[in-house]
Amino acid sequence: MLSFYTKDVCPICKDKAKEVSPITIKSLVKNEYIKELLSIEDFFYCQTPNCEVIYFKPNEIIKQEHLIKEVGIKEWSSPKTVCYCFNWTKEKISDEISKFGKTNAIEDISGKMNSIGCDCEHQNPSGKCCLKDVKKVIKELS
Ligand SMILES: [Zn+2]
C-alpha cells in the first residue's frame, strides 16, 4: 500500500521541519529516555513556537520534558536561548537594544566562532549554527 506520507512534516503542527543529527539527539535528550528509543537516527526538529513537538519521526515524538534543556524557540521557554554555545538569549539581546540601541550579539558570536569555536551540534537543539536565528531575533526586536 502506498500512502501519502511526508517524513519531514510535523505530525502535530503540520509544518515542514529539518532533519537533525543523531549526535544532537544523543546530546540533548535525557539518558533515561534515549534508552527507550529504538534509534536516535532520522529525527526531525520542529521549530514552530507553539507546537509541543521538539523532535519527531514516524511513531516517535520527543517533547520538552524529555530534554535536558529548554528549547528557546518554543513559546514556553524562559529565558529564550538563541545561541547555546555562547549563551545569548532573546532577553539579553532585547536588553542591549533598549539600552544601547543595538546589540553586539552577531559580532560576539562570529568572533568566538572563529577563535574558540562553537559546538552547535551538541548544544543547539537545531544542531546547527545559531547565527540565522540570532539575526532573525535582532530584526524582530529592532
Ligand atoms: Zn510541530
Side-chain angles (χ1 to χ4, degrees):
M1 193 186 82
L2 193 72
S3 62
F4 180 74
Y5 155 74
T6 31
K7 64 171 186 173
D8 62 346
V9 171
C10 173
I12 305 292
C13 71
K14 311 292 180 200
D15 265 0
K16 244 175 124 65
K18 288 208 170 83
E19 198 165 358
V20 71
S21 153
I23 294 169
T24 307
I25 298 289
K26 196 159 191 285
S27 309
L28 298 182
V29 176
K30 287 176 186 163
N31 252 333
E32 68 256 34
Y33 190 67
I34 287 273
K35 287 182 202 149
E36 290 177 21
L37 299 173
L38 287 173
S39 96
I40 55 171
E41 313 270 331
D42 305 320
F43 273 102
F44 286 81
Y45 173 54
C46 174
Q47 298 196 67
T48 309
N50 63 1
C51 180
E52 59 178 344
V53 177
I54 312 287
Y55 302 117
F56 66 88
K57 66 179 177 184
N59 305 318
E60 203 109 62
I61 284 177
I62 298 178
K63 295 182 184 172
Q64 181 63 71
E65 71 221 55
H66 303 126
L67 301 198
I68 58 167
K69 56 174 96 171
E70 279 199 326
V71 178
I73 203 160
K74 298 293 183 179
E75 64 182 12
W76 62 77
S77 64
S78 172
K80 295 190 178 307
T81 308
V82 206
C83 169
Y84 286 82
C85 301
F86 309 117
N87 207 18
W88 278 92
T89 64
K90 192 171 183 177
E91 288 82 353
K92 186 173 163 189
I93 293 172
S94 165
D95 200 46
E96 286 199 345
I97 290 177
S98 60
K99 270 189 204 141
F100 312 114
K102 64 186 177 72
T103 171
N104 72 336
I106 297 286
E107 291 77 3
D108 180 71
I109 297 165
S110 316
K112 287 176 182 163
M113 267 166 75
N114 296 330
S115 54
I116 310 168
C118 45
D119 194 21
C120 309
E121 206 175 17
H122 292 100
Q123 306 289 343
N124 193 337
S126 76
K128 302 206 166 62
C129 173
C130 66
L131 273 184
K132 223 172 101 184
D133 301 329
V134 174
K135 281 180 188 157
K136 209 173 125 192
V137 164
I138 294 174
K139 211 174 150 187
E140 224 180 275
L141 295 169
S142 302

